[in-house]
């Protein structure tokens, strides 16, 4: 059976992106330039995401729903009222409505050579309609991701990363949060990994990458496989491949963070759930220091 896979990835580094977020309706931005892009499928990664009528961000048109499917047609580079520069995407909903949305609230849906992009909704992320697949091996995911990442670093002459127990602890907190909020931020625009690091007394976390993959063919799990017929190592390798090689739309933020020679330690975790409709969803996170 042909499987339908989706992947959305987002990166955040403290001091680079943490100041970007939604803009009040009274603020106005200066547009530096526009760029047309080939229509691409995206999903909304934040609850009540604001959409604006124009890239000047003067008037708010309304809000988008969490996991809503949209298409991106244009990109605008703007200087906001607070002086920060940011990218905003012009989106079109399935009902034909348009608006401008900060790119940090959107994740690109990527089809792979062995998969196709889903045509329908991604389904509810409510914890009442999903269950965790307990035989998903997080240890296997961690090992495969770290091994693959260090191979990428080594062939570029960059020192390998060391798995850090504190950053693993932080990643373990972040992974299940992604199920209901695939974002670096909470509803108050706090950076979640920074918030949890402070709560845990961790001072080494400076960057985070998150990834999502969806599999609409649940299937049955074998002794060494997760629902969907793919091992935890498969998802680790898939997440890593997208971070390193398919990251142009994120301006190579994921790749640059993972291959940054200044980072020496990493924490890795993943969560896996299956909805009542059989759709499987895998979420990956890594925190760097």
């Amino acid at each position: 059976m042909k499987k339908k896979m989706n992947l959305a990835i987002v990166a955040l580094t403290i001091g680079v992106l943490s100041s970007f977020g939604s803009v009040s309706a009274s603020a106005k931005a200066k547009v530096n330039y526009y760029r047309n892009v080939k229509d691409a499928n995206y999903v909304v990664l934040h609850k009540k995401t604001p959409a604006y009528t124009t890239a000047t961000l003067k008037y708010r048109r309304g809000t988008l729903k969490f996991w809503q499917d949209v298409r991106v047609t244009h990109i605008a580079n703007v200087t906001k009222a607070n002086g920060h520069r940011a990218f905003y995407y012009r989106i079109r909903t399935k009902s034909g409505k348009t608006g401008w949305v900060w790119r940090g609230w959107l994740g690109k849906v990527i089809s792979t050579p062995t998969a196709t992009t889903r045509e329908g909704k991604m389904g509810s992320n409510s914890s009442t309609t999903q269950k965790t697949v307990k035989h998903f091996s997080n240890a296997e995911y961690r090992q495969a991701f770290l091994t693959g990442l260090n191979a990428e670093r080594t062939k570029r002459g960059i020192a390998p990363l060391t798995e850090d127990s504190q950053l693993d602890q932080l990643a373990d907190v972040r992974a299940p949060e992604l199920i209901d909020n695939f974002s670096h931020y909470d509803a108050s625009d706090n950076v979640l990994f920074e918030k949890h690091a402070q709560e845990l007394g961790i001072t080494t976390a400076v960057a985070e990458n998150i990834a999502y993959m969806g599999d609409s063919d649940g299937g049955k799990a074998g002794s060494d496989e997760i629902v969907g017929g793919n091992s935890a190592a498969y998802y680790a390798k898939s997440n890593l491949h997208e971070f390193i090689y398919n990251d142009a739309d994120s301006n190579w933020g994921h790749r640059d963070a993972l291959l940054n020679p200044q980072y020496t330690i990493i924490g890795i975790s993943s969560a896996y759930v299956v909805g009542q409709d059989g759709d499987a969803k895998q979420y990956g996170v890594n925190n760097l220091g």
Side-chain angles (χ1 to χ4, degrees):
M1 181 179 293
K2 195 172 187 179
K3 296 179 181 178
K4 298 177 180 179
M5 307 289 291
N6 302 296
L7 175 67
I9 51 180
V10 182
L12 183 145
T13 303
I14 292 298
V16 178
L17 299 180
S18 60
S19 61
F20 292 175
S22 60
V23 182
S24 66
S26 60
K28 187 174 181 179
K30 173 187 175 183
V31 179
N32 301 309
Y33 62 83
Y34 292 97
R35 179 161 60 90
N36 294 335
V37 296
K38 184 178 180 180
D39 282 11
N41 294 319
Y42 281 72
V43 290
V44 177
L45 305 177
H46 190 71
K47 296 176 182 178
K48 297 183 179 179
T49 293
Y52 298 88
T53 55
T54 69
T56 62
L57 314 179
K58 179 65 175 176
Y59 301 106
R60 183 177 293 188
R61 164 160 284 183
T63 57
L64 298 172
K65 296 179 181 179
F66 186 42
W67 286 118
Q68 184 172 346
D69 299 310
V70 298
R71 291 185 69 80
V72 169
T73 60
H74 298 79
I75 296 175
N77 179 273
V78 306
T79 300
K80 301 193 295 182
N82 60 9
H84 292 293
R85 296 184 67 164
F87 286 97
Y88 276 75
Y89 289 175
R90 184 179 186 272
I91 59 94
R92 183 175 65 250
T93 67
K94 288 189 174 181
S95 63
K97 295 181 180 179
T98 61
W100 289 87
V101 178
W102 176 54
R103 75 171 182 179
W105 296 145
L106 302 173
K108 188 176 184 182
V109 177
I110 302 170
S111 60
T112 65
T114 58
T116 57
T117 303
R118 290 183 63 184
E119 296 296 334
K121 292 286 184 182
M122 288 195 176
S124 170
N125 257 16
S126 169
S127 59
T128 60
T129 61
Q130 299 185 108
K131 60 181 180 180
T132 299
V133 181
K134 297 186 182 300
H135 54 272
F136 180 91
S137 173
N138 202 28
E140 179 185 343
Y141 178 90
R142 277 190 175 123
Q143 184 59 51
F145 191 94
L146 183 61
T147 299
L149 174 56
N150 279 338
E152 295 287 348
R153 289 173 66 95
T154 299
K155 72 182 182 182
R156 293 170 173 83
I158 306 169
L161 294 170
T162 300
E163 186 176 359
D164 181 82
S165 60
Q166 284 192 325
L167 292 185
D168 273 346
Q169 182 184 10
L170 175 59
D172 282 341
V173 173
R174 288 288 293 124
E177 285 186 329
L178 300 176
I179 296 171
D180 290 312
N181 179 29
F182 186 75
S183 174
H184 296 292
Y185 304 92
D186 63 16
S188 300
D189 291 333
N190 297 307
V191 179
L192 283 165
F193 85 80
E194 188 178 41
K195 174 183 175 182
H196 292 314
Q198 291 173 349
E199 293 170 347
L200 296 168
I202 299 172
T203 60
T204 52
V206 295
E208 176 177 88
N209 297 309
I210 58 177
Y212 156 84
M213 289 187 71
D215 185 348
S216 63
D217 182 16
K220 293 185 178 180
S223 59
D224 61 348
E225 294 182 330
I226 58 173
V227 173
N230 297 313
S231 67
Y234 165 84
Y235 283 96
K237 293 173 184 177
S238 297
N239 290 171
L240 179 62
H241 180 84
E242 300 302 328
F243 284 144
I244 301 294
Y245 294 103
N246 288 328
D247 199 34
D249 287 320
S250 297
N251 199 27
W252 302 101
H254 307 90
R255 180 200 64 183
D256 291 348
L258 291 169
L259 300 180
N260 189 331
Q262 295 183 351
Y263 296 151
T264 59
I265 54 177
I266 190 172
I268 305 164
S269 192
S270 184
Y272 194 89
V273 293
V274 179
Q276 291 180 342
D277 57 2
D279 281 9
K281 300 178 179 70
Q282 177 265 331
Y283 302 84
V285 59
N286 56 82
N287 295 104
L288 296 145

